[in-house]
Amino acid sequence: MLTPELDDRVALVTGSARGVGRAIALRAAASGAAVAIHYHTSDEAAAEAAAEARELGAPAATTVQGDVTDPDAVDAMFEDVEAELGTVDLLVNNVGDFAPQHWAEIPFETWKRVVETNFYGTVLCARRALPGMREQSWGRIVNVGYAGSEKALVYPKNFPYFVAKTGVLMFTRMLAADTQDDGVTVNAVSPYVVDTSDEFPDDAPRGRWASVEDVAHAVAFFWDDDSGYISGENVEIDGGWLPETL
């Protein structure tokens, strides 16, 4: 297991009460970071994740509630983490709703929620984290995309999700360029289908779906001090799947 040295670091992973976000937060804990488990409505699962983080070696772990699409809620969320744990050194933007329906059948409110959680939530959290990272000349931002978004590939089903994730990758590259002189790196990891997903295609690359640990492993690589020159990159975690077959 890749475990970068994260002693004296503070990690905030959005949407980390369950699934991929939880695995990433627990990897940070196992690497020595203090961890903030973020949730919107899953308070009990978040408390369980924080307890597990402490068992894995996190010097401190807390839970923080907030809607990442609301600028005021994002400010309050970071203020809570900073007051309890300190400046956020590692931010993983994992939150993002999913709408596996034909685009014409998706209610507009769902369209908005998918785009806002995946794209605007990423932007708002990154913008709020940057001043503290710039002040200390060190920071790691990792955004969660989707395999195939690198080529802006789309499909009639779940279309707003593809649009939002393509925007996340564009934002990642832009922010990497904008933080070149700040000691901050900005990268992305883009899974295809993870074994905690709600829906599965017919065929799994390499005979299985990605595990949450597969995703956490890639994130941990970007956290490492030796990865400090790597920024603006996107790692697709897809087992060799060819998105051109959409």
Side-chain angles (χ1 to χ4, degrees):
M1 182 172 73
L2 182 62
T3 52
E5 293 290 335
L6 299 180
D7 294 348
D8 300 321
R9 302 295 187 191
V10 174
L12 168 60
V13 182
T14 66
S16 49
R18 295 189 174 93
V20 168
R22 182 173 181 148
I24 294 170
L26 294 180
R27 181 65 66 92
S31 300
V35 175
I37 304 292
H38 165 261
Y39 70 96
H40 188 201
T41 58
S42 305
D43 54 342
E44 292 184 7
E48 292 171 0
E52 188 172 356
R54 295 185 200 99
E55 292 172 3
L56 288 171
T62 189
T63 62
V64 60
Q65 192 275 341
D67 181 351
V68 298
T69 70
D70 181 340
D72 292 335
V74 169
D75 280 340
M77 185 172 79
F78 273 82
E79 287 169 3
D80 288 345
V81 175
E82 290 162 350
E84 189 159 349
L85 302 179
T87 298
V88 173
D89 305 290
L90 314 165
L91 170 66
V92 180
N93 288 304
N94 168 69
V95 164
D97 284 5
F98 197 69
Q101 298 171 264
H102 188 277
W103 71 271
E105 299 172 355
I106 299 173
F108 183 62
E109 286 303 314
T110 302
W111 270 73
K112 287 177 60 181
R113 185 68 189 169
V114 170
V115 173
E116 288 173 354
T117 54
N118 284 283
F119 182 64
Y120 291 126
T122 295
V123 172
L124 289 172
C125 289
R127 186 172 66 179
R128 179 58 178 77
L130 272 175
M133 293 180 177
R134 281 176 163 144
E135 184 175 347
Q136 63 191 12
S137 299
W138 198 96
R140 298 285 189 269
I141 297 174
V142 182
N143 302 321
V144 177
Y146 179 75
S149 296
E150 188 74 47
K151 299 179 180 179
L153 296 178
V154 296
Y155 195 65
K157 186 177 181 179
N158 210 22
F159 178 71
Y161 181 80
F162 296 130
V163 170
K165 289 302 190 185
T166 300
V168 166
L169 296 188
M170 293 177 68
F171 177 71
T172 299
R173 287 190 288 269
M174 180 281 295
L175 195 57
D178 198 40
T179 54
Q180 290 182 59
D181 302 321
D182 301 325
V184 177
T185 67
V186 188
N187 293 286
V189 296
S190 294
Y192 172 38
V193 179
V194 181
D195 58 15
T196 56
S197 297
D198 294 328
E199 291 195 358
F200 299 91
D202 293 332
D203 298 315
R206 300 181 183 269
R208 69 173 178 87
W209 305 114
S211 70
V212 294
E213 288 299 329
D214 290 326
V215 183
H217 185 80
V219 174
F221 168 77
F222 289 127
W223 284 339
D224 196 89
D225 270 333
D226 289 339
S227 298
Y229 192 74
I230 301 170
S231 195
E233 299 305 318
N234 174 45
V235 173
E236 294 196 340
I237 305 163
D238 57 13
W241 169 69
L242 288 177
E244 290 85 350
T245 61
L246 274 176

